[in-house]
Amino acid sequence: MSEKVEIIAIDGPVASGKGSVSSRVAKALGFHVLDSGSLYRLTAYSALKHGADLSDEEAVEKIVLALSPVFESGKIFLDGEDVTEAIREEDVGIAASKVAVHPLVRKALFQVQRSYAKAPGLVADGRDMGSVVFPEATLKIFLTASAEARAKRRYNQLKEKGINSNISDLVKDLRERDERDLKRAVAPLVPATGARILDSSDLTLDETVNQVLEWYNGTKA
Ligand code: DC
């Protein structure tokens, strides 16, 4: 009999801290991590590079089917190019939320994402991990925070990288992306059935991670 793979699905809006929380939880439990947003970002990056029309579903589907990213020692390579930093740029994130509205793109990425489920477990971070990709997850979390708290975190992250930004522009950007992620017809950003809502607006990263671990341990009690 194959070993049971434990899955923790962490979904939530942009800049809710899913990435940091997921990698910390995975480290604590010795699990693998899936940053599903990076797959949408890679698709968007490649589409932009090839000058594809982001609203042309079939053109973007071709791009995603041809995608062969290499994940190596914390870096991501696409056709030999190190794109680790480039796919984190705001314009790629915005393009990612545009390609993510296409059902054919989501369908093509479905199996890719499922293939990350390996023993002993996986922490899957995204928008539809608990609702669509891993409905069997042991624990489903909807991690959220106010747009202002998220914009402030994003502002500090950019500042650390030496990039100046403006909080009100960031809030506006986040709201626009939330709208697009919430309103798309396929896999909109809504808490999965049975998901626990975790609002991290007033929590530190440690407190947020501890809450997830406590809930996970509770599933074993
Ligand atoms: O988590 P992120 O900011 O890296 O994701 C980038 C975009 O990809 C986001 O705006 C919506 C999309 N996305 C998605 O639709 N489904 C996922 N599971 C992950 C990301």
Side-chain angles (χ1 to χ4, degrees):
M1 210 177 78
S2 60
E3 197 181 338
K4 182 177 187 286
V5 179
E6 293 284 324
I7 310 239
I8 300 180
I10 303 188
D11 292 304
V14 62
S16 56
K18 295 177 306 263
S20 317
V21 173
S22 299
S23 57
R24 290 272 301 268
V25 168
K27 200 162 172 213
L29 297 169
F31 286 6
H32 303 276
V33 195
L34 165 63
D35 165 13
S36 62
S38 70
L39 300 173
Y40 288 91
R41 286 173 180 270
L42 284 162
T43 305
Y45 180 84
S46 184
L48 291 172
K49 199 167 166 193
H50 288 93
D53 174 359
L54 301 181
S55 64
D56 182 340
E57 180 166 10
E58 284 173 12
V60 184
E61 185 200 20
K62 277 203 187 103
I63 300 257
V64 74
L65 292 173
L67 212 60
S68 55
V70 175
F71 294 81
E72 216 173 71
S73 338
K75 293 206 172 290
I76 309 176
F77 297 87
L78 202 56
D79 305 323
E81 179 193 351
D82 181 353
V83 295
T84 320
E85 295 292 326
I87 62 161
R88 298 288 148 205
E89 298 286 333
E90 285 299 299
D91 58 338
V92 178
I94 291 165
S97 81
K98 291 183 182 166
V99 300
V101 302
H102 301 310
L104 290 175
V105 170
R106 306 199 72 85
K107 188 164 168 247
L109 288 176
F110 180 82
Q111 277 310 330
V112 178
Q113 296 172 98
R114 294 276 318 170
S115 71
Y116 280 79
K118 296 211 174 81
L122 176 72
V123 181
D125 134 20
R127 302 291 189 290
D128 59 345
M129 298 296 99
S131 54
V132 178
V133 182
F134 299 108
E136 77 278 29
T138 312
L139 174 65
K140 299 177 186 181
I141 307 243
F142 191 79
L143 183 63
T144 184
S146 67
E148 288 71 19
R150 290 182 284 136
K152 208 160 158 216
R153 286 179 199 158
R154 183 49 59 95
Y155 175 85
N156 289 332
Q157 280 170 356
L158 291 171
K159 201 166 151 200
E160 265 173 38
K161 289 192 201 162
I163 303 169
N164 276 325
S165 59
N166 170 303
I167 298 251
S168 56
D169 283 351
L170 290 173
V171 171
K172 186 170 160 274
D173 241 38
L174 288 176
R175 291 222 167 99
E176 275 172 23
R177 282 170 70 182
D178 283 352
E179 274 277 300
R180 197 157 39 231
D181 288 351
L182 269 167
K183 289 201 174 145
R184 67 173 175 237
V186 183
L189 175 66
V190 285
T193 313
R196 305 192 72 149
I197 314 282
L198 180 49
D199 186 333
S200 72
S201 304
D202 299 316
L203 299 180
T204 63
L205 178 58
D206 278 345
E207 288 168 336
T208 312
V209 169
N210 287 338
Q211 178 63 79
V212 175
L213 290 172
E214 197 182 308
W215 281 339
Y216 178 70
N217 291 333
T219 68
K220 305 286 139 209

